[in-house]
Amino acid sequence: MFDLVESQLVKIKKTYGTKAILNYTSDGYSGLKNRMQTIFFNCFGGATQWEGSLCWGAGIKAQKYDFGSVKGHYPDDILNAELILVWGKNPKHTSLHLFSLLKKAQKRGAKVIVIDPNKTATAKAFDQYIRIRPATDGALALAMANTIIEKNLHDSDLIKDHVKGFNRFKAHAASFTLQKAQEITGVDSKIIEDLAMAYAQANRASIQVGMGMQRYTNGGNAVRCVDALGAIAGCIGKKGCGVNYAAKSMAPFLYDLEKASEKYAENKRLFTVAELGNFLEKADDPPIKAIFVASGNPLTQSPDLITTKKAFAKVEFKVVFDHFLTDTAQAADLVLPAASVFEQEDIFATSMYSQVLNHSQKAVDPLDEVKPEFEFYLELAKRLGITHMGFTSSDEYLQKSVDTVLKRKEVSYEAFQESYLRFEEDEIAWADKQFRTPSGKIELFSEQALADGLSPLPNYVEAKKKSDQFPLRLLSCHAKESMHSQGFAFKNSLPTAYLHPETAKLFKAKEGAFAFLKDEKNQLKVQIKIDKAVHQNTAFIHQGWWDKSGAVNTLTKPLVSDMGKQAAYYDSFVTLKVI
């Protein structure tokens, strides 16, 4: 195994250079050790690797423009809220810890309003549901902000001291009248007005933003518009408030070893992850000769899956680490069994609640034939004479990775192993009003966005639209039973396509019928379920289905969001043909 991998790497580096090797690694179980493959290839001299996101990149970039960094309130703070907007998020299926807190907040008297194209399980569990047309969230947020300003309910003190660009934003948002927002979003103008008033007049109002909102070609701006709404209403830096999208306050202090390794990546090439198939097809000077995949399943999760699979298959040497024989593993030349989270020590800073840093002890030893990816690359580095990674063991790597945090907290590594760490000062995001933007303020007008070729102001731009030939927007959201594609390892049934009754009637589709969803080139066999909770003129399928059942990404386009190079999955359109 080691001889094969070593010989291939040496040959490719000598013949084509290291950019002929594609390093594909994603989050896996989200431990710090997941960074090992990238550190190895950086120290090997570089590689081709992806940038952007399949998951949350547009929203991350948006909040960096607005606040300078990405922070969220500590989860328990939601119990301080009087009003909570759950916007494009379905925590009953995707975040049970948050859902339980929402129910507690409701019992304490908080009003919970869910804004979503679909009446999700979360929407059915709370006080009010507002159905919005897909991809129009930015228009709703701008209209709410405009209403708040017109009624003189904006927070003048916060704006005066801590907001840049208010007057420009005010003039821009003025065009988003209640009537215009109704026409765009499908939400009644009176509901929009009442929602804006309720948000502005609540003493403590929290917004919980979901990833679904930013999976459109206008997704980053949608999040920027919601950020602006929070700033205008003065709901930033206070208990029970915030625009909570992600919580990465601890992340900047954890990856020094990976950053240090980048200086050795002299031959590095980047591509946008949503365009993996197109990149593999067209890559030249050099073409891709080897792919290493860890902590991901790109042949299920990538958009434009048919193109991606064909291009992947043509690559001469493919190595995949995984627990299961996934679609990606089945296409590999060498499959190496990955160690589970229980079979190795690791450290976690959870992606949505990363104020908390946890040490994870090894529960059991891996089987003899299983070598954790981290140990594999340590051994491979030794064989190749790589001595500059900055560590020589798993334990040294973990200790060095958290050294900055431990020094800041004045805690020993041994004490950390027995407990967990958090930054108490970040319990309320931006409580100190020390924003990390160039101006030190919330930037409604972002010079950096302008320099990047984007609107400096949060803006609503219409996303992709349906056509007569392909009238159904394909929504492929997360499933309750699975973390991405993992839970579908044991499913063999056809994917279920959910249709609104009026949509089903239009296509003469009945409950339980079999049908094909089709785009310009491909089709996917599905079974129909009729559900009035689903937005009209959409086809809803959970993401994660494997090829054996029918992968929904057969039909998604390799589109990219306005910022953050995020996969714009939800701007794909299809038609339906009943069998």
Side-chain angles (χ1 to χ4, degrees), residues 1-2 5-6 9 33 35-41 43-44 257 292 321 336 344-345 371-398 400:
M1 173 182 66
F2 281 107
V5 175
E6 180 184 354
L9 288 177
K33 285 185 177 178
R35 304 285 173 147
M36 180 57 170
Q37 182 167 294
T38 296
I39 293 172
F40 170 82
F41 279 112
C43 292
F44 187 61
L257 288 169
F292 285 73
F321 295 86
L336 300 174
Q344 56 188 320
E345 179 186 11
K371 193 173 189 67
E373 300 97 306
F374 192 95
E375 305 301 331
F376 174 87
Y377 281 112
L378 271 183
E379 177 63 27
L380 189 59
K382 290 178 184 177
R383 286 169 169 260
L384 290 166
I386 297 173
T387 60
H388 46 273
M389 289 196 296
F391 52 89
T392 58
S393 69
S394 168
D395 189 60
E396 184 183 8
Y397 170 79
L398 292 177
K400 284 188 172 182

Side-chain angles (χ1 to χ4, degrees), residues 5 34 58 62 185 196 287 383 463 514 522:
V5 175
N34 285 0
T185 66
R383 286 169 169 260
F514 296 102
N522 304 307

Side-chain angles (χ1 to χ4, degrees), residues 141-151 170 173-177:
L142 289 172
M144 290 173 65
N146 181 45
T147 300
I148 290 168
I149 294 169
E150 284 185 338
K151 295 184 180 298
K170 177 182 176 180
S175 65
F176 285 86
T177 63

Side-chain angles (χ1 to χ4, degrees), residues 197-463:
M197 295 287 287
Y199 182 67
Q201 292 177 333
N203 289 322
R204 299 181 301 279
S206 172
I207 300 179
Q208 302 290 322
V209 180
M211 294 183 190
M213 180 194 295
Q214 47 92 69
R215 286 177 175 159
Y216 302 95
T217 50
N218 66 5
N221 266 295
V223 175
R224 286 205 70 200
C225 291
V226 176
D227 288 347
L229 171 63
I232 292 302
C235 293
I236 305 296
K238 298 178 181 177
K239 281 188 177 182
C241 293
V243 179
N244 299 280
Y245 176 66
K248 295 175 72 68
S249 60
M250 193 167 282
F253 304 100
L254 296 174
Y255 303 113
D256 291 346
L257 288 169
E258 182 181 357
K259 293 172 186 174
S261 73
E262 290 174 359
K263 64 177 175 286
Y264 301 109
E266 297 176 351
N267 296 291
K268 185 175 181 179
R269 175 171 57 178
L270 300 174
F271 69 95
T272 301
V273 67
E275 300 171 334
L276 173 60
N278 288 336
F279 172 77
L280 287 173
E281 271 196 330
K282 298 175 183 178
D284 197 8
D285 193 29
I288 296 298
K289 292 295 181 178
I291 301 176
F292 285 73
V293 178
S295 304
N297 187 11
L299 295 196
T300 296
Q301 296 298 116
S302 296
D304 192 20
L305 208 48
I306 301 301
T307 299
T308 305
K309 285 183 174 181
K310 288 179 179 177
F312 191 95
K314 293 178 182 178
V315 176
E316 296 169 18
F317 186 60
K318 302 171 289 291
V319 179
V320 175
F321 295 86
D322 212 298
H323 308 302
F324 306 103
L325 196 60
T326 63
D327 291 341
T328 308
Q330 290 184 60
D333 299 294
L334 178 62
V335 180
L336 300 174
S340 76
V341 63
F342 305 109
E343 294 172 326
Q344 56 188 320
E345 179 186 11
D346 212 334
I347 293 173
F348 296 86
T350 53
S351 58
M352 302 309 292
Y353 300 132
S354 68
Q355 294 98 327
V356 178
L357 190 69
N358 296 283
H359 176 264
S360 176
Q361 297 178 357
K362 182 171 70 171
V364 295
D365 290 326
L367 298 174
D368 290 342
E369 62 268 26
V370 176
K371 193 173 189 67
E373 300 97 306
F374 192 95
E375 305 301 331
F376 174 87
Y377 281 112
L378 271 183
E379 177 63 27
L380 189 59
K382 290 178 184 177
R383 286 169 169 260
L384 290 166
I386 297 173
T387 60
H388 46 273
M389 289 196 296
F391 52 89
T392 58
S393 69
S394 168
D395 189 60
E396 184 183 8
Y397 170 79
L398 292 177
Q399 291 195 45
K400 284 188 172 182
S401 293
V402 297
D403 185 58
T404 301
V405 174
L406 297 182
K407 286 179 179 177
R408 177 172 170 171
K409 295 290 293 182
E410 297 182 345
V411 173
S412 69
Y413 187 68
E414 291 72 24
F416 163 61
Q417 288 177 299
E418 298 299 321
S419 184
Y420 63 90
L421 295 180
R422 53 183 285 203
F423 292 159
E424 288 80 3
E425 62 269 28
D426 283 337
E427 182 174 326
I428 309 301
W430 308 115
D432 58 3
K433 305 297 191 297
Q434 300 298 307
F435 301 101
R436 295 178 185 168
T437 55
S439 66
K441 297 182 177 183
I442 302 170
E443 295 197 349
L444 301 186
F445 187 95
S446 170
E447 301 280 0
Q448 185 59 60
L450 183 62
D452 291 341
L454 302 170
S455 167
L457 292 164
N459 194 26
Y460 169 73
V461 177
E462 192 172 51

